[in-house]
Amino acid sequence: MENIQADKQTDERTIFIKMVLSNWQVQNGRINALFDKLSDEELAVETAPGRNTGIYLLGHMTAVHDAMLPLLGFGERLYPELDEVFVQSPDKSGLPKPSTANLREYWRKVGEALEQHINTTQPDEWFTRHNSVSEEDFAKEPHRNKLNIIINRTNHLSTHLGQLIYLAK
Amino acid sequence: MENIQADKQTDERTIFIKMVLSNWQVQNGRINALFDKLSDEELAVETAPGRNTGIYLLGHMTAVHDAMLPLLGFGERLYPELDEVFVQSPDKSGLPKPSTANLREYWRKVGEALEQHINTTQPDEWFTRHNSVSEEDFAKEPHRNKLNIIINRTNHLSTHLGQLIYLAK
């Protein structure tokens, strides 16, 4: 009976993880298909008058996903320098931006690094704390775990996907 | 030991439900704050040139959330007539739309109905199948449960939230 309970728990945990990761993967698939479809010229356009360009949002998403690597204990960031331009500064900051070809490459590399680590993360590991919550706070708020970061970042991606869609003809 | 396992499973299920529902509630809070902030005149504007107006997106979100009631076994829809105008037809269909005051009221009522049912749903119930997946398919794909609908619809909301933000000055 103990084994049955333990098995049931493992099964249920596997289902939770699949729910979260499948939504993450679907939304990543949609944004990747959109980035592939948009030319560099189309990405350079504002998503709405006076609003962020596609290039800025591509850089912003890359920076935010890159920051997930240390947050989830997956390792060092690949492109920490993106934060100054794409997170701490607005689109029209005047700061030099990497070329669109480079940004596309960074986005791809960050996506590959995340995917590789996500695919090899053990079920138990997803329910441990992420690296921006203290052990003390995590003891009180155990829902602030690594899997919760995936839910949160999927919604962040969806928000910007809704805006980037406006660049498609 | 058996009880400890069972308790641990219950705890983990509670944590997981909290993760999903807290993200749903945060994004609903954001979109409600935005709808409250926008005047009827601001909602009538296109979110970007040639794209959906705020009024259409308000009606669309209301219809999609209303359809969650039967999908989650929470009861009949409140406003099934919204589908023709806001789901099956585009913004500029020429079909008559309810007044913005009425749409705001429908949105509020649907939100209240969902919240009430969500708050009284028992943990086990979240992991049962939703009403658009067959028993046969659910046996093979147990992640297609009611809680997964919440994850999916939170992302749908986030996508349109990203667009509606463009109406704010």
Side-chain angles (χ1 to χ4, degrees):
Chain A
M1 186 61 188
E2 184 189 316
N3 279 344
I4 293 171
Q5 283 290 356
D7 284 355
K8 198 177 163 209
Q9 189 188 353
T10 304
D11 285 352
E12 195 163 273
R13 193 183 284 158
T14 305
I15 291 169
F16 295 161
I17 294 167
K18 189 176 172 66
M19 287 160 64
V20 172
L21 295 184
S22 68
N23 278 281
W24 163 258
Q25 284 153 358
V26 164
Q27 294 304 83
N28 267 279
R30 286 179 181 157
I31 208 163
N32 281 330
L34 182 59
F35 283 140
D36 287 348
K37 181 181 164 183
L38 295 169
S39 67
D40 289 359
E41 291 69 32
E42 288 170 325
L43 268 181
V45 175
E46 288 175 343
T47 49
R51 303 294 178 168
N52 290 326
T53 60
I55 287 171
Y56 181 82
L57 288 177
L58 172 60
H60 175 74
M61 301 288 307
T62 305
V64 168
H65 286 202
D66 189 44
M68 291 170 71
L69 294 168
L71 193 58
L72 297 174
F74 291 165
E76 297 292 309
R77 292 189 60 166
L78 301 178
Y79 309 106
E81 68 279 9
L82 296 179
D83 274 16
E84 189 189 352
V85 186
F86 295 106
V87 178
Q88 292 152 24
S89 308
D91 195 351
K92 284 86 177 183
S93 63
L95 292 172
K97 293 185 174 70
S99 71
T100 304
N102 281 346
L103 282 176
R104 288 180 187 273
E105 173 73 2
Y106 302 163
W107 168 255
R108 197 176 62 75
K109 293 269 193 198
V110 167
E112 284 173 1
L114 277 175
E115 192 182 358
Q116 187 203 324
H117 286 287
I118 283 171
N119 288 341
T120 54
T121 296
Q122 295 302 304
D124 285 2
E125 183 69 16
W126 284 115
F127 294 93
T128 62
R129 74 182 172 92
H130 59 72
N131 289 329
S132 74
V133 60
S134 69
E135 286 191 36
E136 195 181 3
D137 286 345
F138 184 64
K140 285 177 279 182
E141 301 178 298
H143 67 284
R144 298 176 67 185
N145 55 44
K146 291 179 179 173
L147 197 58
N148 201 32
I149 293 289
I150 304 287
I151 299 180
N152 177 284
R153 295 305 187 276
T154 308
N155 280 290
H156 177 259
L157 183 161
S158 296
T159 304
H160 292 308
L161 175 59
Q163 299 167 341
L164 285 160
I165 289 167
Y166 286 168
L167 296 177
K169 295 279 163 29
Chain B
M1 185 62 188
E2 184 189 314
N3 281 343
I4 293 172
Q5 283 288 354
D7 284 355
K8 197 176 163 210
Q9 189 187 353
T10 305
D11 286 352
E12 195 163 275
R13 191 185 287 160
T14 306
I15 291 168
F16 188 73
I17 293 167
K18 188 178 170 67
M19 287 159 61
V20 173
L21 294 184
S22 68
N23 278 281
W24 162 258
Q25 285 152 359
V26 164
Q27 294 304 84
N28 268 279
R30 285 179 181 157
I31 209 163
N32 282 329
L34 182 60
F35 284 141
D36 287 348
K37 182 180 163 182
L38 296 169
S39 67
D40 289 359
E41 292 69 32
E42 287 170 325
L43 268 182
V45 175
E46 288 176 342
T47 49
R51 303 294 177 167
N52 291 326
T53 60
I55 287 171
Y56 181 82
L57 289 177
L58 171 60
H60 176 72
M61 301 286 307
T62 305
V64 169
H65 286 202
D66 189 44
M68 291 169 71
L69 293 168
L71 195 56
L72 297 174
F74 291 166
E76 296 292 308
R77 292 189 60 165
L78 301 178
Y79 310 105
E81 68 278 11
L82 296 179
D83 274 16
E84 188 190 354
V85 186
F86 296 107
V87 178
Q88 291 153 23
S89 308
D91 196 351
K92 285 85 177 183
S93 63
L95 292 172
K97 293 185 174 72
S99 71
T100 305
N102 281 346
L103 282 176
R104 287 181 187 272
E105 174 71 2
Y106 301 161
W107 169 255
R108 197 177 61 75
K109 293 269 193 199
V110 168
E112 284 172 1
L114 278 174
E115 192 182 359
Q116 187 202 322
H117 285 288
I118 284 171
N119 289 340
T120 54
T121 296
Q122 295 302 305
D124 285 1
E125 183 68 16
W126 284 116
F127 297 95
T128 61
R129 73 182 173 92
H130 60 71
N131 289 328
S132 75
V133 60
S134 68
E135 286 191 38
E136 195 181 4
D137 285 346
F138 184 64
K140 285 177 279 182
E141 300 178 298
H143 68 285
R144 298 177 67 185
N145 54 44
K146 292 180 179 173
L147 198 58
N148 202 33
I149 293 289
I150 304 288
I151 300 180
N152 178 283
R153 295 306 187 274
T154 308
N155 280 290
H156 176 258
L157 184 160
S158 296
T159 304
H160 292 307
L161 176 60
Q163 299 167 341
L164 286 159
I165 288 167
Y166 286 168
L167 297 177
K169 295 280 162 32

